[in-house]
Amino acid sequence: MIRETDWASRPVAIVVAPTGAEVTREDNPAVPYTPREIADEVIAAHAAGAAIAHLHVREPDGAPSARPELFAEAIELIRGGCDIITMVSTGGAIGMSVDERAAGLRAAPEMAGIETGSTNFGEELFPTTPAETRAIARAAGELGIALEVEAFELSHVEAALAFAVDGTLPEPLRFNLVLGVPGALAATHRNLAMLASAVPDACTWGVTAIGRHQRRLLALGALMGATCLRTGFEDGVYVERGRLAASNAELVARTAADCAVLGRSVATPAQAREMLNI
Ligand code: KMH
Ligand code: ZN
């Protein structure tokens, strides 16, 4: 955590989430599906300033996938092109079993996201029981994979702190504060302040904001001292009102430019590893 008086003293790590599980080429024709397409988008995003890639994989027709070989192929291709930090989702897609959600761990990423509670997700339920959090944390721990808590609600931050106390989650905790999922916390400055203030000083936190409020919420996060700011097609397909982003790299470049205006430099992957204690 950056002390409030030192808010501009450390660089900010831009996270690119290139494909997610919900957006499709009907939303934006540039959404990558195959491991090669995902890797090319990530390598270009790294060149534009991204330090971390948050990965989901897809079947060739775009359906969200839990096949470990697709994660492994994407990560191998990414590592062949740049030194970005690879992070797999264990949120997966609505309806996946916990085993399917954990499939990416077998591809030896540096990091994985982890859910510490349940929420509505649009019209669906996105459930994660305490037993499922423990199972994913155990699998990641055995493989030496660093975890980031995906917090969609205040209760997810509080549950993660309890999981640190009982030893389920290793410290220091890393939080991604996720705003704007319909059915969960809205993307407002009050909600960001509320979540960030629940994170203890010893932890790091970043911001994800879904949809049209993303740019404003990431800027607020930059000013509040966030360690990470996430962008990419998983979170929104427009670069400005009415204009689709041509690529994930365009979204990363916009975020990097906004950080420069706000007085935050952009972290290299090596700097991000140091800040996140990986
Ligand atoms: N696709 C969502 C159901 C995560 O990556 O951890 C879950 C998700 C969150 O995208
Ligand atoms: Zn995700």
Side-chain angles (χ1 to χ4, degrees):
M1 173 85 171
I2 303 174
R3 287 208 322 270
E4 199 161 335
T5 46
D6 297 338
W7 68 275
S9 67
R10 297 179 75 187
V12 65
I14 298 179
V15 183
V16 63
T19 187
E22 286 82 26
V23 290
T24 70
R25 288 197 182 137
E26 284 175 25
D27 303 307
N28 184 328
V31 172
Y33 288 167
T34 68
R36 178 78 262 171
E37 291 167 352
I38 291 169
D40 287 346
E41 280 288 299
V42 167
I43 292 163
H46 167 264
I52 304 171
H54 168 91
L55 300 168
H56 295 244
V57 290
R58 307 288 191 113
E59 295 297 326
D61 67 356
S65 178
R67 282 201 287 144
E69 60 268 31
L70 296 180
F71 278 106
E73 187 181 349
I75 288 174
E76 188 185 344
L77 290 168
I78 290 167
R79 288 190 177 141
C82 66
D83 69 340
I84 197 166
I85 297 168
T86 53
M87 178 204 301
V88 297
S89 168
T90 66
I94 297 293
M96 282 185 183
S97 68
V98 74
D99 285 347
E100 290 173 313
R101 285 168 54 177
L105 299 176
R106 288 150 63 183
E110 278 180 80
M111 294 183 74
I114 187 166
E115 272 69 19
T116 54
S118 304
T119 183
N120 284 346
F121 199 95
E123 295 298 312
E124 318 270 6
L125 179 64
F126 178 34
T128 305
T129 64
E132 289 169 338
T133 299
R134 288 194 187 94
I136 290 172
R138 198 178 315 116
E142 285 168 5
L143 294 163
I145 298 167
L147 291 170
E148 172 190 90
V149 173
E150 310 296 323
F152 299 73
E153 299 285 355
L154 179 59
S155 61
H156 299 174
V157 176
E158 292 175 338
L161 299 176
F163 281 129
V165 171
D166 77 13
T168 299
L169 294 178
E171 297 183 87
L173 294 175
R174 310 167 191 87
F175 286 95
N176 177 29
L177 308 177
V178 185
L179 299 159
V181 169
L185 279 176
T188 68
H189 71 279
R190 286 191 182 85
N191 285 341
L192 175 58
M194 184 256 304
L195 288 179
S197 63
V199 174
D201 285 353
C203 308
T204 57
W205 58 274
V207 184
T208 290
I210 311 299
R212 66 196 167 95
H213 296 292
Q214 180 186 113
R215 191 173 189 180
R216 184 171 64 91
L217 270 290
L218 296 194
L220 285 169
L223 293 171
M224 290 163 65
T227 297
C228 299
L229 299 176
R230 191 172 106 174
T231 189
F233 288 146
E234 178 167 346
D235 304 334
V237 294
Y238 290 92
V239 69
E240 59 187 48
R241 193 183 170 90
R243 188 162 77 79
L244 290 172
S247 63
N248 280 283
E250 186 177 13
L251 293 166
V252 170
R254 184 194 71 185
T255 303
D258 287 351
C259 286
V261 168
L262 297 169
R264 296 288 304 274
S265 63
V266 168
T268 64
Q271 288 172 313
R273 285 185 181 93
E274 193 249 310
M275 292 189 297
L276 293 168
N277 196 29
I278 295 172

